[in-house]
Amino acid sequence: MVSSPTVLDSSCVLLVGTSEWLTQFKATLNTRTDATVKRVETKSEALEVFRRESTDCLITEYALAETTGLDLLTEIRTETTVFPVLVGTASGSEAIASEAIRAGVTDYVTQTDSVDQMVKELMDRTERAVRSAQRAATQRTRARQFDAIFSDSRTATWVLDPDGSLVRVNQTAREDDRRRH
């Protein structure tokens, strides 16, 4: 089933809309990855899944039944700025692309050639978006861990730059140094 390991294999991807390119993209995800793929048709359904279930990425078409994918994106951005959202359209414009960028889209894909080409492009961009989001989450976690260690009053902690010069020291290390001198 899976052609080669990909970050999408352990991901949950939410597709929003009714377009044929989404149907083909879902089929491609199902045959080339072990991703969990969920598909809904409306903004309200998408928001319900987004809020209640663990989802790693959302791909929406621009034109939805009750609104636009950009309205969906805008609502998601009120809750999180780091969740990957891709907007795709079979007939895009520079105005829509600009609006998507202003709204905080992770990526914007238009069908310039065939649906097959768009699906291939979506596979690459979705994988890139999920990988980038995972890296960012790991960096945030490591930064929180470092701050927790650095703030621990029981542990003397310092940071050195590559030439060995002291860059940062916590209060415990300062107090320990004062006691010794």
Side-chain angles (χ1 to χ4, degrees):
M1 171 162 80
V2 176
S3 55
S4 64
T6 171
V7 69
L8 297 177
D9 288 339
S10 59
S11 299
C12 180
V13 179
L14 176 59
L15 306 178
V16 186
T18 59
S19 292
E20 177 58 29
W21 62 264
L22 276 170
T23 302
Q24 288 189 18
F25 183 54
K26 180 179 181 184
T28 301
L29 283 169
N30 285 333
T31 57
R32 293 189 188 166
T33 73
D34 283 333
T36 301
V37 183
K38 297 176 182 171
R39 184 167 181 188
V40 296
E41 295 184 2
T42 67
K43 173 186 169 186
S44 56
E45 291 172 319
L47 288 170
E48 183 176 328
V49 172
F50 170 73
R51 290 176 178 140
R52 296 179 192 262
E53 300 179 29
S54 177
T55 306
D56 297 298
C57 185
L58 182 145
I59 296 96
T60 181
E61 65 181 304
Y62 174 75
L64 296 174
E66 61 196 43
T67 186
T68 69
L70 297 185
D71 289 336
L72 171 60
L73 168 64
T74 300
E75 189 149 345
I76 288 172
R77 288 295 177 247
T78 64
E79 297 180 32
T80 176
T81 59
V82 297
F83 181 75
V85 177
L86 288 78
V87 174
T89 180
S91 56
S93 70
E94 286 185 29
I96 293 172
S98 294
E99 189 179 346
I101 291 167
R102 278 192 306 275
V105 73
T106 306
D107 212 337
Y108 178 81
V109 182
T110 59
Q111 182 181 337
T112 54
D113 296 320
S114 67
V115 171
D116 290 340
Q117 182 62 34
M118 184 177 184
V119 167
K120 182 182 181 311
E121 190 72 26
L122 272 169
M123 285 293 293
D124 293 341
R125 292 183 187 202
T126 302
E127 185 169 356
R128 198 172 333 152
V130 170
R131 183 178 289 114
S132 177
Q134 288 175 348
R135 273 194 211 119
T138 298
Q139 289 171 341
R140 286 189 304 276
T141 298
R142 288 181 181 161
R144 280 192 300 273
Q145 290 169 340
F146 175 79
D147 286 343
I149 291 169
F150 203 81
S151 298
D152 184 353
S153 62
R154 298 166 297 174
T155 306
T157 309
W158 55 92
V159 177
L160 303 176
D161 68 10
D163 71 1
S165 300
L166 190 62
V167 175
R168 185 175 169 195
V169 63
N170 73 351
Q171 186 65 35
T172 304
R174 281 190 206 112
E175 291 168 2
D176 189 46
D177 186 53
R178 283 187 211 124
R179 281 192 297 261
R180 289 183 184 174
H181 293 85

